[in-house]
Amino acid sequence: MCFSKIWEQLTQPAPPTPEPTIYTPVSNRPIELQEIYNILLAQFPGIDFDVIKLSDSVSILCNMDDVAYFLAEHEANKFPYVAEYYDCDDYALKMAGDFSIPQWANLCIGEIWTDTHAFNILINEDKEILFVEPQTNEISTELFGSGTKITLVKV
């Protein structure tokens, strides 16, 4: 091939980079801050009101199809566990942060810490509290770990 043909190929504009496709969640049922507080207080009688941190006046209840899609794509569990350096609180923070992208950020999901463990919490469209173990993506209606005292709920 002659030099001019090579130069022509090298100087061609690059094809446009496609925009990444973001799955649009189907969740669309709003819930107000006070109702989230009421659900949390009913679930955890005796919880210290000051450990509950809610960031938005209105959130969107989680559709479980969206949660299943997210967990199937979630990569937090690929990082190795290292005690005190990348442990349960880091996994919980990463999962909550991974939900904080356009179209997903207002879903009613966050972090919960007990006196022994940190994991994630969500409120589904049936207004049930569910817990997600971010190291395994397991979903449960029960707290993970042996802790009994809740020290932080951040949604």
Side-chain angles (χ1 to χ4, degrees):
M1 186 178 280
C2 72
F3 178 76
S4 62
K5 292 275 188 193
I6 295 172
W7 181 253
E8 182 181 316
Q9 289 177 356
L10 291 174
T11 57
Q12 293 280 330
T17 304
E19 290 292 321
T21 303
I22 297 178
Y23 170 85
T24 302
V26 297
S27 300
N28 62 7
R29 293 188 51 210
I31 184 168
E32 294 188 8
L33 178 136
Q34 189 58 53
E35 189 172 2
I36 295 172
Y37 269 117
N38 293 341
I39 290 170
L40 292 168
L41 294 172
Q43 177 84 20
F44 308 115
I47 189 173
D48 182 355
F49 194 74
D50 292 337
V51 305
I52 300 174
K53 310 295 182 196
L54 303 180
S55 60
D56 297 317
S57 61
V58 177
S59 293
I60 302 296
L61 296 168
C62 294
N63 177 288
M64 293 310 293
D65 289 339
D66 292 337
V67 173
Y69 172 84
F70 177 86
L71 293 178
E73 298 293 318
H74 185 62
E75 297 189 25
N77 58 4
K78 291 187 178 179
F79 294 106
Y81 177 93
V82 180
E84 300 303 323
Y85 295 99
Y86 197 85
D87 53 7
C88 62
D89 59 303
D90 302 298
Y91 281 95
L93 180 62
K94 177 155 180 18
M95 180 176 278
D98 287 349
F99 267 99
S100 294
I101 60 172
Q103 301 175 353
W104 289 83
N106 206 29
L107 293 184
C108 198
I109 188 163
E111 300 171 68
I112 183 167
W113 292 23
T114 68
D115 48 349
T116 63
H117 195 42
F119 42 98
N120 296 94
I121 184 172
L122 66 87
I123 300 177
N124 70 15
E125 290 179 329
D126 295 326
K127 298 184 180 174
E128 299 171 315
I129 292 177
L130 298 174
F131 306 102
V132 181
E133 172 52 73
Q135 296 176 60
T136 63
N137 292 345
E138 178 185 351
I139 298 174
S140 176
T141 57
E142 302 293 324
L143 294 173
F144 290 101
S146 60
T148 56
K149 181 179 180 184
I150 296 171
T151 60
L152 173 70
V153 178
K154 181 181 170 193
V155 179

